[in-house]
Amino acid sequence: MGHAERSAVGEVRRELREFLRHRSGQEQTDAAELLVSELVTNALIHTRYGAVVTATATSARLRVEVQDFASEDLPAPYVPNADDGTHGRGLILVRSLADAWGVEAQALGKTVWFELHGGRP
């Protein structure tokens, strides 16, 4: 992952934080920033074509989607054990912090998404 790509993760976090400033409480914002960082990092490490991040929020839920453009076949979603070395912990975080999450095949690539329930207290 090159320097420009690494800086993209921070930019996405900042933009999501700004988007959520008046829509969500601090706890949900912190969780969303952590989870989007993991998903964007995964997309940048495992594909060569970048990613698109979309966030939608209502008073009841936040949904964040990270779409990559990898052309290879989609593997089955893999959530490793916590002691699986230094890689692969991102989806463990997603699984434990998100209220819902999943992977959807697209015409080109896939979308990994998570949802956090509740909004601004």
Side-chain angles (χ1 to χ4, degrees):
M1 184 160 60
H3 176 69
E5 292 168 336
R6 283 193 303 261
S7 67
V9 176
E11 291 171 25
V12 169
R13 284 179 69 115
R14 283 187 295 280
E15 288 187 28
L16 183 61
R17 184 181 328 116
E18 182 63 27
F19 174 73
L20 293 175
R21 183 177 6 182
H22 301 294
R23 294 177 175 89
S24 186
Q26 187 64 46
E27 186 175 317
Q28 185 181 54
T29 298
D30 291 346
E33 282 187 61
L34 176 62
L35 297 180
V36 78
S37 294
E38 294 297 335
L39 297 186
V40 170
T41 298
N42 283 349
L44 295 176
I45 287 173
H46 298 294
T47 70
R48 290 180 288 202
Y49 305 107
V52 173
V53 178
T54 305
T56 54
T58 67
S59 61
R61 132 191 116 117
L62 166 69
R63 181 178 174 107
V64 176
E65 300 177 351
V66 178
Q67 180 180 4
D68 67 44
F69 302 97
S71 59
E72 62 269 2
D73 291 334
L74 294 176
Y78 168 64
V79 180
N81 295 325
D83 62 353
D84 194 37
T86 60
H87 297 287
R89 293 191 176 121
L91 289 181
I92 292 171
L93 286 172
V94 173
R95 181 178 65 183
S96 64
L97 294 177
D99 293 307
W101 75 281
V103 180
E104 299 171 358
Q106 304 296 321
L108 181 61
K110 67 185 169 306
T111 298
V112 182
W113 58 270
F114 68 86
E115 292 180 355
L116 298 173
H117 299 158
R120 188 113 178 114

